[in-house]
Amino acid sequence: MRLSIQCHEAENILKGFIEGEIDIHTAPILINELEMIVLTEGLLIELDLSKVTYMDSSGLGVIVALYKRLIKEKVDLKLLLSKRIMRMFNITGLGEFMNIELRRAN
């Protein structure tokens, strides 16, 4: 298993659970899944990346592109990250302006 993506929507919250590796090979798969989300104003997208074992700059690029798209559509994004992945967001400065919560992988 390289990448697993599951989404569940209830009320005005879309919860996405992403597990595996997000790199140059799997990023296009994630992009395709995220582009299929129908955006409506007031929607909250909560992406749980706490079981992502590896993410390179391709993965960061996917998240940044999603974030920019959501801002334009007035949709909120919350990221649930493992300590390892959160470190990448903090090093790049993305942790400064994104809604991020530290989550321990189960």
Side-chain angles (χ1 to χ4, degrees):
M1 172 193 68
R2 295 260 333 215
L3 185 66
S4 171
I5 305 164
Q6 297 177 0
C7 293
H8 307 282
E9 188 169 357
E11 307 262 329
N12 223 21
I13 300 174
L14 175 74
K15 293 187 178 194
F17 302 91
I18 302 168
E19 185 175 356
E21 299 176 358
I22 306 173
D23 58 21
I24 189 110
H25 303 289
T26 60
I29 298 166
L30 182 56
I31 290 169
N32 288 338
E33 289 290 324
L34 295 175
E35 285 179 347
M36 291 188 338
I37 298 171
V38 176
L39 302 178
T40 57
E41 189 172 333
L43 177 69
L44 168 63
I45 297 177
E46 185 176 283
L47 290 183
D48 187 338
L49 303 169
S50 64
K51 292 189 178 181
V52 170
T53 55
Y54 175 80
M55 181 187 288
D56 67 9
S57 60
S58 302
L60 284 175
V62 170
I63 301 299
V64 169
L66 173 66
Y67 182 73
K68 288 180 177 180
R69 178 177 163 223
L70 298 182
I71 288 174
K72 288 179 186 174
E73 298 295 328
K74 297 183 172 113
V75 173
D76 292 321
L77 175 66
K78 180 177 185 179
L79 300 174
L80 308 171
L81 305 178
S82 66
K83 189 174 182 180
R84 174 189 301 221
I85 302 300
M86 185 171 215
R87 185 171 185 265
M88 288 181 63
F89 279 77
N90 289 336
I91 287 170
T92 59
L94 296 171
E96 296 290 320
F97 56 91
M98 289 185 167
N99 181 5
I100 296 176
E101 179 181 310
L102 182 61
R103 171 82 40 107
R104 290 173 55 163
N106 297 331

